[in-house]
Amino acid sequence: MTQEQLRRPAAMWLAVTTLFGLAGTVVGLLPVVLTWGLFREGQIGLAQVMGTMIPYVSLMICPLVAWWLLLRRHYLASLVVATPPILMWCISIIVQKLS
């Protein structure tokens, strides 16, 4: 596919992942704030903080970076960068069904 043919699917995909990213921000903000508070109080170490915060922060940042790439006309890269919120949602649904 050419770059122009990827433009519309990329815009649609980003619109969907932005919704999931917003949901991820709402859901992920509480663990990030709580983990950061525990770190500041000295109750947990930096490795545990990073292990907890990186997935949630990536859910918040992925849609923003993907939109920036879309505006820069890197359509395929924006599709790839926007995918983690959807993948994490799909994985959580599968794990929930298996449990």
Side-chain angles (χ1 to χ4, degrees):
M1 294 181 88
T2 65
Q3 287 293 326
E4 286 303 315
Q5 291 173 330
L6 282 173
R7 183 176 176 215
R8 283 196 178 154
M12 287 292 281
W13 186 247
L14 287 176
V16 170
T17 58
T18 298
L19 294 175
F20 281 92
L22 289 173
T25 299
V26 171
V27 170
L29 198 57
L30 184 62
V32 168
V33 169
L34 291 175
T35 303
W36 186 252
L38 291 174
F39 174 70
R40 289 188 55 150
E41 292 172 1
Q43 295 180 5
I44 59 175
L46 183 62
Q48 189 174 1
V49 170
M50 290 298 127
T52 303
M53 289 177 60
I54 286 174
Y56 290 112
V57 172
S58 71
L59 281 177
M60 296 181 242
I61 292 176
C62 281
L64 295 174
V65 172
W67 278 110
W68 180 76
L69 287 169
L70 184 77
L71 293 174
R72 305 264 313 177
R73 298 184 181 184
H74 298 286
Y75 303 121
L76 187 58
S78 69
L79 284 167
V80 172
V81 169
T83 303
I86 298 286
L87 282 177
M88 290 182 77
W89 177 77
C90 290
I91 291 168
S92 70
I93 294 296
I94 291 169
V95 167
Q96 181 183 13
K97 295 291 181 182
L98 294 175
S99 297

